[in-house]
Each structure stands twice: as structure tokens, then as C-alpha cells.
Amino acid sequence: MDIRVDTDACVGCGLCVKDCPMDVYELRDGVSVPVKPKNCMGCLSCHEICPAQALEHRGIYPARRHYIDMRVCEMLNRVI
Amino acid sequence: MMTASYIDELHESFHTDIVYRSEDIPLECTPRPSEMEETLHGVMKLNGLIIRSLEEIAGRGANAVTYRAGKKFGHEIAKYFQKRDDVEEALHELSDLLRGQYTFEVWKPEDKENFIIEEDGQTFIYLVFHDCIVRQTLRRNGQEQGGPLCQTLFGYVVGAIEEITGRRAKLEIVHTGPNACLKKLILK
Ligand code: SF4
Ligand code: SF4
């Protein structure tokens, strides 16, 4: 897995470090660094918890998401 | 034993060039569910409500009920499988059968050499569940993962493995996430 952290966006809160079950991240000089990207199994909990939306996973398998309410997404896209 | 090429092939099937950014708002579900969206949401809503009510009435006993239901289902489905001793081969067969409903792969952290891991007197295999109808139902209803509805899946996998291999097994949650969940299949 290729994991990238937007170092300008990262606020160094360490939530991804704590939340990742595979200890993929470490905080170094106030930003998150993916030190063990090969241990990532693609759960995306880190994306859900990161308040700065600073993370990017390349090469991930996106699970089916039929539960999403498309009307809400369309509305959000109009607003944003 | 499961061959190395099968494992490579399986891992390859979960590798894409997709870039996933936190800020992405999905514009479409794949495959498009427009034809069956209302029915699907209705079924998910109903399942969520049944599980919530079961929890209210039966408390922790709810897990036992759903686990047993899943286990029966697993035994039922796997009755028609060829019986074999090899757990990895049984998992291979099961993952083919469940593809789309509960798509999973065998997985290991980078410091482990084999998929069958022996640690602290336990023999286990890590399974990463990618597509999962239980996760979709729970997230559709704003319910927590890891509760009684997840127990149906646990029972299902354990029941199927027991039926195919004749070996007792147990499934434990290691982590639940929005895109995948890590489970441990403990072999007895
Ligand atoms: S996707 Fe899951 S396993 Fe991978 S880095 Fe994020 S929290 Fe860790
Ligand atoms: S959760 Fe986000 S903001 Fe916080 S340390 Fe991790 S990447 Fe940085």
C-alpha cells in the first residue's frame, strides 16, 4: 500500500497513530509518518478519524458501499 | 496446502490503481443499485431494527442467537462442499462462494512468514473482510460494528469451516473499519 500524508494539512493530533490497529503510523516532528505501510490492510479507519483529511491511500480495494444515500451525496456535492 | 500462486492471484485481485482521498464524496455506488435501491434499503433497515430489538430484549444473549443462526447457515451451505482437512483450501473455496457478499482474503502482517500463525499457544489465520453486507447494514442504520449482527458472520465462517474440515474453530474481531475488517480465525 502506498500511503501519503499531506504534511501541510496534518495537525499532528496523533489520532491515526492511536487508531491504526497495525501500527502503520508514527508521529515524527509533529506530523504523522506511515512507517509500516506494508502492514496496512485497508480498513480506512484512519481516514475516518483524521480531522484534517490529510491521508491518501493508493492501491486500495474499495469495498462495496450500497448503504450510501445518493440523494444526500448529491446534495452535499451541490453545497460544497 | 494452498499454492503460493493462488495467494498471489488473490492478493492481486484486491490491488487497484485507485487513489482514495479523505475528502472524496462518492458520486456513485458500484455496481449501480438504482434498480434495487429501495428494496435494499428496506431490507437493511428491517435487519437493523430486528437486531436492535433483539438486543433490547435478550441483552447479551442476542449474540448467542445470531451466532447460532449464522453457524446453522454456514453448516447448511458447506454441506455440499467437498470435505477436506486443509483449512487454507477450505478458506479458498469459501471465499469463492462468498465473493460479493463477504469478500475476504487471508492476510498476514509483514513480519510473519506464513499465513497460519502460531503465537501464545494459539494457531490462527488472519482474514481481512473487504465487502460485507453486515457492515453495510450497520452503517446504513448508524449502528456500531462488532455487535450481534457481526456474530452471524462469525457463526457462518466457523460453521462452514467446521463442516468442510471437521475441525473446531472460533472467529474473533481484531479491528472493524469502514472499508475492511480484520478477523482472527482461531483453529482448535
Ligand atoms: S487503513 Fe487501517 S490498517 Fe491501513 S493505515 Fe489506516 S487504520 Fe491502519
Ligand atoms: S489523524 Fe490526521 S491530522 Fe492527526 S496526526 Fe494523523 S494524519 Fe495528522
Side-chain angles (χ1 to χ4, degrees):
Chain A
M1 193 80 70
D2 177 9
I3 305 174
R4 300 186 185 186
V5 178
D6 180 341
T7 50
D8 291 332
C10 174
V11 292
C13 64
L15 287 174
C16 57
V17 181
K18 271 195 222 130
D19 199 48
C20 173
M22 304 323 300
D23 300 325
V24 165
Y25 303 102
E26 261 177 29
L27 269 191
R28 287 187 187 161
D29 299 325
V31 286
S32 175
V33 179
V35 287
K36 290 188 204 156
K38 281 193 184 153
N39 266 0
C40 173
M41 42 85 189
C43 68
L44 290 183
S45 290
C46 52
H47 280 242
E48 202 160 60
I49 208 161
C50 173
Q53 300 187 328
L55 301 169
E56 193 173 290
H57 278 61
R58 291 174 179 242
I60 199 155
Y61 175 83
R64 290 173 184 218
R65 293 183 293 177
H66 286 319
Y67 60 86
I68 289 167
D69 191 326
M70 294 320 296
R71 278 165 304 184
V72 175
C73 287
E74 273 159 25
M75 253 179 337
L76 275 175
N77 269 296
R78 251 182 274 140
V79 175
I80 294 171
Chain B
M1 287 289 285
M2 192 154 54
T3 59
S5 68
Y6 164 69
I7 293 172
D8 288 348
E9 223 174 81
L10 189 64
H11 288 172
E12 193 52 40
S13 70
F14 288 109
H15 188 85
T16 68
D17 293 324
I18 290 169
V19 177
Y20 191 93
R21 296 186 183 86
S22 305
E23 69 273 23
D24 283 350
I25 296 171
L27 283 171
E28 58 176 8
C29 293
T30 47
R32 271 198 88 74
S34 51
E35 307 268 311
M36 49 168 189
E37 194 166 356
E38 279 173 21
T39 316
L40 183 66
H41 278 263
V43 171
M44 289 198 279
K45 182 98 202 141
L46 183 65
N47 268 330
L49 287 172
I50 292 172
I51 288 297
R52 201 169 277 163
S53 309
L54 185 63
E55 261 183 306
E56 281 164 12
I57 293 170
R60 292 187 53 167
N63 283 349
V65 174
T66 48
Y67 181 78
R68 194 170 175 85
K71 204 165 165 185
K72 275 188 191 258
F73 194 25
H75 275 286
E76 194 62 33
I77 291 281
K79 248 199 310 218
Y80 307 104
F81 281 30
Q82 190 193 331
K83 305 283 176 254
R84 50 178 96 235
D85 298 334
D86 193 308
V87 178
E88 285 185 69
E89 275 185 18
L91 285 170
H92 174 182
E93 205 159 343
L94 197 60
S95 83
D96 282 348
L97 183 88
L98 294 181
R99 188 160 281 270
Q101 289 178 51
Y102 305 109
T103 311
F104 70 87
E105 63 174 330
V106 290
W107 184 86
K108 64 176 184 62
E110 67 173 324
D111 62 336
K112 298 280 183 262
E113 277 196 6
N114 299 313
F115 288 97
I116 297 187
I117 299 169
E118 309 230 351
E119 213 172 72
D120 304 327
Q122 256 186 359
T123 307
F124 62 88
I125 300 175
Y126 280 124
L127 304 177
V128 173
F129 282 81
H130 294 281
D131 301 315
C132 174
I133 51 174
V134 167
R135 189 188 314 123
Q136 296 201 43
T137 302
L138 294 173
R139 293 182 81 82
R140 156 70 179 75
N141 295 316
Q143 287 168 280
E144 268 184 38
Q145 287 168 253
L149 200 54
C150 290
Q151 293 291 329
T152 54
L153 172 63
F154 287 25
Y156 189 107
V157 174
V158 168
I161 293 295
E162 282 182 4
E163 186 69 39
I164 300 168
T165 64
R167 267 181 96 165
R168 305 269 323 269
K170 193 176 142 197
L171 199 67
E172 263 181 24
I173 298 181
V174 180
H175 183 78
T176 57
N179 195 57
C181 298
L182 182 64
K183 312 264 164 74
K184 215 175 177 185
L185 181 71
I186 302 167
L187 305 168
K188 296 188 177 166

